[in-house]
Amino acid sequence: MVDEDAVGTVGRDFARSELDYTPWFFWDRAGDTAKHRQLALQDALAGERAYRLGERCFVSELSSVTNETLELGDRSYVAAGAYLSGSLRAGRDCTINPYTVVRGEIRLGNAVRIGAHTSLIGFNHTMADPDVEVHRQATTAKGITIGDDVWIGSHVVVLDGVTVGDKSVLAAGAVVTKDVPAGAVVGGNPARVIKWRTGPDRPQRRPDGDLAGAVTQFADAAREQAAGIIDRYWDGGTRLFSDQPGAAPTVRAQCDAIEVADLLLGGPPPRLDAAELTDLLRSWQDPATGLVGELGEGHRPTPPEATVFTWPAGYHVLCVGYALDLLGSRFAHPVTVVAEASAADVMDGLRRQDWTDEVWSSGAWVDELGTALHQNARMGAANSPGALEALFGWLLTNADPHTGMWGRAGGPDGLLQVVNGYYRATRGTFAQFGHPVPYADRVIDTVLAHSRDVRYFAPVRQNACNVLDVAHPLWLTRRSGHRSEEVVELARRLLADALRHWTPDQGFGFQAPHPTTASLPATAPSLQGTEMWLAIIWLLSDLAGLSGQLGYRPRGVHRPEPARPR
């Protein structure tokens, strides 16, 4: 035991600071005087700064702690020389060792062990204007989130915006610039996965050991809870649906509520009948352009731009059009801005898309254009001669024979942009019109390669967009037979993961729920997340030969078959 009252004069200065540098020994080895002094310090920090410190915590008097918010769980400590500022929320058994820098918006899970001389920097400088000195420009802050049971070695740097998954290890000297999957061991500059402590490359345990039974159990529970879930997103004051409770109503939320109700209840949402919903959605269409703007003052759509297309009016062509279809109706007017677009306008629009770095948004533009052309034709409104042929001709002649897709593969996002853009582009064209896609085998190769990217397909990193954009292309090309065993195995793995994302009585969030991402709005259950994951589960189940266990089949935006003629 090191007790300041018991050491000699010569050793007192050394003994006084020993436990500041080895604080894991403090509560076992410190004398009563030191313990009382530490508790008094913690009481002062709690009273004067509203810090929240758990049982048997330790904060060295030789550290610099200037946080606006500080929360330390039981048995967590801050050693000598540490520099803390901003907002730090840490769970139990966390260590901030000597000379560690923790600044900005930082969240630590339980049992996060941080080695000496490591820096967690939850903000960044901007340098947009080269004529202004960097220190005079604004800073930005996204924050850093560290999961449970994470070991961070000495001399590690973690930069702003990074999420580190549970049970991962950041090797000494690593410079971490991107998210770290759960269970990964990363090292180097920039840090890369070098092996796995646990992780997505290991076989995943199936729910209840029986995937078919798990699908049936999920479907039964979802139908039983459906009415209450839909009601959760209903705003009685506006008589409209919101994507999340307390959020402002949106056009899409009405459509998602209609789709979820159709899937699980076989009819319109319980709060409104089909006729009332039909009248509402048809009244929102601008007769001059045929588009539906976002809701504004008085919960009425703002006038949309008369262009092909701008967000969110472009997506409303899809969601409102298909919601009306589910209600047995259709738009009151043609999508005029598309009906009047010539073949030359279509070609010009395709060329203006960024097929290099923004393939998803380019594919979305194609999706919205193809859907509007299809809806106009279904209601008997004439499109400009050659416009549809120009769209398909461009897609067929510009598909990459190596990937089967459009846009450039590679870059920091890997295959994410081209695969996600492929789903949007083919959904509104080849899938919706019932035409075969070019280079189907290459598409399968590309999707299977993309699915091995743990940044997007480790269970903790999954979101509805990324999984849908893999499931639909594989379903669209399923008759090829190419690498069919691998396709089925991937579908089963993603299906097992998807079933775990369900939150009882609330539905699905857009992003998979996990303790390391719990603060993100995208993980909270929503109408959008519920509608998308229900469709994803059907597509994956069908690829795995299990869709008969579900008792539903998507008929709206995410329908698997071509849109039916009217």
Side-chain angles (χ1 to χ4, degrees), residues 374-388:
H374 194 280
Q375 290 174 349
N376 286 346
R378 289 172 66 195
M379 65 189 303
N383 294 305
S384 294
L388 183 62

Side-chain angles (χ1 to χ4, degrees), residues 143-165:
I144 294 171
T145 300
I146 311 293
D148 296 335
D149 187 18
V150 174
W151 177 21
I152 303 176
S154 296
H155 294 277
V156 171
V157 177
V158 182
L159 297 185
D160 187 36
V162 167
T163 295
V164 177

Side-chain angles (χ1 to χ4, degrees), residues 251-252 255-256 259 291-292 309-321 331 360 364 367-368 371 423-424 427 468 528 531-532 557-558:
V251 172
R252 179 168 182 166
C255 304
D256 287 335
E259 297 240 17
L291 301 174
V292 179
F309 286 102
T310 57
W311 182 265
Y315 190 80
H316 293 164
V317 171
L318 279 66
C319 67
V320 177
F331 276 125
W360 182 89
D367 190 1
E368 293 151 9
T371 301
Y423 161 68
R424 290 300 305 268
R427 196 221 70 85
L468 173 65
Q528 178 186 350
E531 186 275 324
M532 292 184 72
V557 169
H558 299 115

Side-chain angles (χ1 to χ4, degrees), residues 4-170:
E4 292 183 14
D5 297 330
V7 298
T9 303
V10 174
R12 182 168 296 153
D13 289 339
F14 284 118
R16 181 175 296 130
S17 60
E18 176 184 344
L19 294 178
D20 287 284
Y21 290 92
T22 58
W24 50 91
F25 293 134
F26 180 82
W27 291 105
D28 294 325
R29 298 185 180 181
D32 291 341
T33 301
K35 288 179 180 178
H36 289 314
R37 184 180 177 89
Q38 175 63 203
L39 291 173
L41 171 64
Q42 293 186 27
D43 287 344
L45 292 174
E48 297 172 14
R49 302 187 188 178
Y51 290 172
R52 296 173 60 184
L53 307 177
E55 296 295 323
R56 293 176 70 85
C57 283
F58 176 83
V59 179
S60 172
E61 295 181 55
L62 301 180
S63 64
S64 174
V65 179
T66 61
N67 300 80
E68 289 82 20
T69 300
L70 178 64
E71 297 178 8
L72 299 179
D74 295 346
R75 299 175 302 280
S76 293
Y77 63 74
V78 178
Y83 174 25
L84 279 59
S85 67
S87 173
L88 171 61
R89 292 176 171 85
R92 60 167 176 79
D93 297 300
C94 292
T95 69
I96 300 175
N97 272 305
Y99 304 105
T100 296
V101 176
V102 181
R103 302 187 63 199
E105 183 74 25
I106 310 292
R107 287 181 176 272
L108 308 180
N110 295 318
V112 177
R113 317 297 279 190
I114 305 174
H117 297 279
T118 281
S119 295
L120 276 60
I121 309 298
F123 67 92
N124 207 348
H125 287 280
T126 57
M127 52 181 178
D129 189 342
D131 296 323
V132 177
E133 294 170 327
V134 170
H135 76 94
R136 300 184 187 279
Q137 298 191 48
T139 60
T140 61
K142 299 177 182 177
I144 294 171
T145 300
I146 311 293
D148 296 335
D149 187 18
V150 174
W151 177 21
I152 303 176
S154 296
H155 294 277
V156 171
V157 177
V158 182
L159 297 185
D160 187 36
V162 167
T163 295
V164 177
D166 292 350
K167 296 186 178 299
S168 55
V169 177
L170 312 186

Side-chain angles (χ1 to χ4, degrees), residues 460-471:
V460 65
R461 306 306 306 155
Q462 292 170 10
N463 68 43
C465 183
N466 294 344
V467 179
L468 173 65
D469 296 357
V470 160

Side-chain angles (χ1 to χ4, degrees), residues 249 293-302:
E294 188 55 284
L295 298 186
E297 187 176 351
H299 305 299
R300 296 293 302 173
T302 57

